[in-house]
Amino acid sequence: MKAHAGDWVEVLSKAEILRTLDKNGRFDELPFMPQMFKYCGKRFRIYQSAHKTCDTVSGHYAGRHLQDGHHLNLRCDGQAYGGCQAGCLIFWKGAWLKPVDGPAQVQGALKRIPSPSEQASSSPRCTESDVLSATKRQGAGGDVRYSCQATELLDYTTPLSWWNARQYVDSYRSGNRTLPQIARGFLYLFYYYGALAVSDRWGRPARWLYNRIQAITGGVPFPRLKGIIPLGQSTPRCDLGLRPGDLVRVKSYAEILATLDIRLSNRGLSFDAELVPFCGKVFRVGTCVERFVDEKTGQMRRMNTPAVILEGVSCKGLYSGQRMFCPRSIHLWWREIWLERASIDACPRIPIPSILASACATGDKAASNASGVAIAGSETKAESQPSMVGSDTDL
């Protein structure tokens, strides 16, 4: 199905969708999840084309290609998956959608009733019960292993090399990104590698210049600085007791760097470059994350150190190299020590360039004293966590 971001579509009826699925509740290996049935017959706008996505399963975090995939602005509620709170954006195949003119549905429209012979020949191979049964299985140790679109991502996508120019053309033609957005993305990458900003040893002048220019223009500071806590030292923790609906301000980038080790981790949860544009801004808490399904294993994991999801805050794929312009809009997870309570009339804070320069220098020094530490520009995440950046080994 040819569709662009913003186009109206209608989700097919339950019966029509079941006819597209195999006995395991899949179409082209993409699972149709139980919570998706409640959207049958309803109309939505295409949020973004899902022609590409990011690999959060293998640990390589490279791009993946998906044929005829789409995102509506609908997320998994986790009800069929033990109450998982990751809130992943749902993938939809074009075969499950049909183009429509707008949000209004024609009242009293006549529907063609298939003949008995047509009904018999088009009987679904899959039932709603099959779809529900496919959500979990028994693991080797007797534990429950969940199976969803996130855990099975490698089955229905194919590898996508960063140099495949078609993905960037598709990002524009589908309406996912504008030409200025694509140009800014490539400008950052060219500067990152061309000016040696990627290098711990030689990149300090380039990072300093980047921050100076961004400070003057009001832009985002260099998003891949190092944390200042040496490896082996415990990173700090601060529990604010946040609840959904609470108003918070994200601390400045410099303040957050002070809570991270040189691998940009706080108690196992990584602070990725994609979080930097939100520093200093005010948001409401959307979800207090207590449990989530590990995309690599399908096992349910529980949090020990608090983390929250903020309303309207998701990965934009701005600084991710191989995952540039990924439309998956993964929720970003935040440690409470990276936040502070805010009042209704709160104003964003302005980062202090001198503090950032100090953090950069400290990180460079710490990195030079540590062996085998990945550089800040590497395209790897620390450990395994679904739908957010890094993973919580502290759990």
Side-chain angles (χ1 to χ4, degrees):
M1 181 188 72
K2 292 291 185 181
H4 298 78
D7 288 353
W8 284 96
V9 294
E10 182 176 316
V11 181
L12 298 184
S13 68
K14 182 186 297 186
E16 290 173 308
I17 287 177
L18 286 173
R19 282 194 286 270
T20 70
L21 306 178
D22 62 22
K23 190 63 176 175
N24 296 317
R26 301 185 180 199
F27 178 80
D28 287 346
E29 297 302 323
L30 175 63
F32 188 90
M33 301 185 293
Q35 66 270 32
M36 298 166 69
F37 282 122
K38 64 185 177 184
Y39 303 117
C40 288
K42 297 181 180 180
R43 296 187 175 192
F44 304 93
R45 284 187 184 274
I46 296 289
Y47 171 59
Q48 293 195 72
S49 167
H51 62 91
K52 67 179 291 185
T53 189
C54 52
D55 174 7
T56 53
V57 178
S58 70
H60 297 294
Y61 303 102
R64 305 283 298 186
H65 173 67
L66 174 62
Q67 185 69 33
D68 195 24
H70 307 277
H71 287 307
L72 311 180
N73 197 10
L74 301 171
R75 292 184 178 271
C76 175
D77 59 18
Q79 291 184 11
Y81 303 95
C84 173
Q85 297 173 293
C88 300
L89 202 62
I90 297 173
F91 289 94
W92 296 83
K93 276 289 191 176
W96 301 335
L97 309 169
K98 63 180 179 183
V100 291
D101 295 331
Q105 294 177 302
V106 179
Q107 299 295 323
L110 295 177
K111 293 185 178 180
R112 178 179 176 273
I113 301 176
S115 66
S117 60
E118 289 176 324
Q119 290 180 359
S121 62
S122 62
S123 296
R125 295 167 294 173
C126 181
T127 66
E128 188 172 357
S129 178
D130 292 331
V131 173
L132 184 60
S133 298
T135 60
K136 57 186 176 182
R137 65 185 189 280
Q138 206 74 14
D143 57 330
V144 175
R145 299 294 179 100
Y146 292 98
S147 176
C148 64
Q149 291 185 349
T151 64
E152 309 307 305
L153 184 138
L154 299 184
D155 289 344
Y156 59 85
T157 60
T158 55
L160 182 64
S161 302
W162 68 266
W163 59 82
N164 186 331
R166 179 62 182 268
Q167 62 183 299
Y168 308 116
V169 175
D170 287 344
S171 291
Y172 170 69
R173 298 175 79 176
S174 67
N176 285 6
R177 296 289 188 273
T178 64
L179 285 178
Q181 289 173 332
I182 293 174
R184 285 194 294 270
F186 279 111
L187 180 62
Y188 166 77
L189 281 185
F190 290 148
Y191 185 88
Y192 182 65
Y193 291 105
L196 298 181
V198 63
S199 170
D200 285 334
R201 184 175 182 181
W202 307 108
R204 186 177 176 186
R207 293 190 290 271
W208 177 87
L209 178 61
Y210 187 103
N211 282 333
R212 290 297 299 167
I213 294 175
Q214 294 296 82
I216 293 172
T217 61
V220 177
F222 188 77
R224 293 193 181 275
L225 299 180
K226 292 283 190 181
I228 65 175
I229 299 175
L231 290 180
Q233 284 192 20
S234 177
T235 50
R237 168 176 174 164
C238 177
D239 297 350
L240 302 179
L242 297 175
R243 305 309 304 164
D246 288 350
L247 201 64
V248 295
R249 179 192 292 108
V250 180
K251 291 182 179 179
S252 71
Y253 188 22
E255 289 175 300
I256 292 175
L257 287 173
T259 72
L260 305 173
D261 63 26
I262 61 174
R263 286 180 174 166
L264 294 174
S265 174
N266 178 278
R267 310 180 77 83
L269 183 64
S270 294
F271 187 87
D272 188 80
E274 300 295 339
L275 284 82
V276 176
F278 302 102
C279 289
K281 298 180 180 179
V282 176
F283 304 94
R284 289 196 182 275
V285 175
T287 304
C288 298
V289 183
E290 298 176 353
R291 57 192 177 277
F292 64 95
V293 173
D294 189 327
E295 294 176 341
K296 293 185 177 181
T297 66
Q299 294 176 299
M300 180 64 68
R301 302 184 66 185
R302 297 185 178 275
M303 305 286 286
N304 285 335
T305 306
V308 300
I309 292 171
L310 304 179
E311 292 181 357
V313 177
S314 60
C315 177
K316 305 301 181 185
L318 301 176
Y319 308 108
S320 303
Q322 298 182 62
R323 298 172 282 123
M324 185 72 74
F325 313 129
C326 171
R328 195 173 173 187
S329 298
I330 289 175
H331 278 321
L332 302 175
W333 289 20
W334 301 83
R335 286 283 189 231
E336 293 191 1
I337 197 172
W338 302 338
L339 310 171
E340 58 189 6
R341 292 185 179 275
S343 61
I344 195 67
D345 57 348
C347 297
R349 292 182 176 178
I350 301 175
I352 303 174
S354 61
I355 296 179
L356 290 175
S358 174
C360 179
T362 305
D364 289 340
K365 182 178 180 181
S368 66
N369 293 332
S371 59
V373 178
I375 58 173
S378 66
E379 289 303 323
T380 60
K381 291 182 185 177
E383 304 102 27
S384 68
Q385 181 173 319
S387 312
M388 65 285 351
V389 187
S391 79
D392 193 345
T393 54
D394 181 58
L395 289 181

